[in-house]
Amino acid sequence: MNDSVPPGELVLRPLSARSVVLSLLLGTHRPELPVRELVRLVEGFDVGGSTLRAALSRMVAAGDLRRTDTGYRLSERLLERQRRQDEAVRPHTRAWAGDWEMLLITATGRAPAERADLRARLTALRLAELREGVWLRPANLRRPLPAELDLVAERCASRPARPAAELAASLWPLDAWSATARALLAHVDRARRPADRLTAFAAVVRHLLADPVLPPQLLPVHWPGTALRDAYTGYQREQAGQVRVRNTRTWGGGINPSSHPRSPRHL
């Protein structure tokens, strides 16, 4: 969600050739595609062959992709991003008994960049800052906190005296998230062109990454989180039907990749 945009109003980012390639690979399991399959797929998103070749070269140089014998694969760094994206779409939760997990930041003397990086990491873990150095959330997620956090913080469990729903509403902009989610659902329902749908669902994934994934009893009524996840899961199935991954040995029925005009050596 773009915080500079009023809740419910959408500003969708145009997708570059790099964004199209990453969206396709991030949504593919396993995240590797033959070159000619990438060429075929990106044509449906208004990306030409020469533009794709330039984007692939830049992405390899930047460490986004790795070249393989038959095509391109996400780098380890982006495989971690795919895992976060998968978790955003299908979060692992457990029944909530009323406890909250809390992190108390104990490290001092850190540079501004280090503090900003820690804040980003804690936010990605769906923790919210109650006040400076105090981060918490309901203990309803089935995920371990990274062990390296023990170097900078002390973790504990708590039961705040403040009513849980009131506390949650003060920590996360739930009404704004809900309004944007509903606008996204309406938008993807109207989108018809493949490029428009890819752009819309890229925004859906970004928005799901900002979902606090709270226990149902702490959410406003008619919370659209499940509907947004269902819409994206349906789009993933739709895209999976478009991806025809060739056998890496035969390159699609006996065509040698080195003889194919769009093989990796020509990119």
Side-chain angles (χ1 to χ4, degrees):
M1 183 170 57
N2 188 336
D3 292 336
S4 65
V5 178
E9 293 187 22
L10 301 179
V11 176
L12 303 183
R13 307 173 189 171
L15 293 186
S16 63
R18 174 183 179 276
S19 298
V20 170
V21 171
L22 288 184
S23 292
L24 291 170
L25 287 171
L26 285 166
T28 301
H29 298 76
R30 79 185 213 272
E32 178 179 343
L33 287 173
V35 177
R36 69 174 181 179
E37 187 70 1
L38 275 171
V39 171
R40 182 184 70 82
L41 289 168
V42 301
E43 286 175 349
F45 302 109
D46 306 327
V47 177
S50 60
T51 302
L52 173 65
R53 288 191 287 274
L56 291 174
S57 295
R58 288 193 296 268
M59 293 168 74
V60 170
D64 295 331
L65 300 180
R66 290 194 302 106
R67 292 179 66 167
T68 67
D69 290 340
T70 58
Y72 289 85
R73 177 179 176 82
L74 291 180
S75 66
E76 288 301 318
R77 171 171 55 83
L78 287 175
L79 286 175
E80 176 57 31
R81 176 174 163 183
Q82 185 184 55
R83 285 189 284 271
R84 293 197 307 270
Q85 179 175 303
D86 290 345
E87 172 65 20
V89 176
R90 290 173 288 273
H92 297 91
T93 61
R94 62 186 179 189
W96 185 55
D99 290 338
W100 290 63
E101 59 184 43
M102 180 180 293
L103 278 184
L104 305 175
I105 306 304
T106 55
T108 59
R110 291 169 297 130
E114 292 177 311
R115 293 198 300 270
D117 178 68
L118 180 59
R119 290 178 65 87
R121 289 167 58 201
L122 295 177
T123 300
L125 290 166
R126 293 189 166 88
L127 291 155
E129 193 171 28
L130 178 65
R131 57 178 181 271
E132 186 174 2
V134 180
W135 293 75
L136 73 166
R137 65 155 296 111
N140 70 315
L141 293 182
R142 287 195 292 112
R143 55 100 173 92
L145 292 174
E148 58 267 24
L149 286 178
D150 292 335
L151 300 175
V152 297
E154 181 179 341
R155 62 182 77 187
C156 55
S158 68
R159 287 209 174 196
R162 189 173 175 183
E166 178 184 310
L167 178 58
S170 72
L171 292 170
W172 290 277
L174 300 180
D175 290 340
W177 194 95
S178 180
T180 301
R182 294 185 190 285
L184 282 168
L185 285 168
H187 184 80
V188 299
D189 192 51
R190 295 190 302 267
R192 293 291 179 265
R193 294 175 62 249
D196 293 339
R197 288 178 63 73
L198 184 64
T199 299
F201 278 103
V204 167
V205 170
R206 289 194 299 272
H207 198 54
L208 288 173
L209 287 167
D211 182 356
V213 191
L214 298 176
Q217 55 267 51
L218 302 188
L219 292 172
V221 294
H222 308 304
W223 179 253
T226 298
L228 199 64
R229 287 185 170 81
D230 289 346
Y232 184 73
T233 299
Y235 181 69
Q236 282 186 308
R237 288 195 295 265
E238 175 186 321
Q239 287 299 100
Q242 298 297 318
V243 177
R244 301 193 300 270
V245 180
R246 271 64 169 176
N247 182 287
T248 56
R249 293 183 182 178
T250 62
W251 193 257
I255 301 175
N256 189 310
S258 64
S259 65
H260 195 278
R262 295 191 187 276
S263 72
R265 84 169 46 173
H266 296 287
L267 292 169

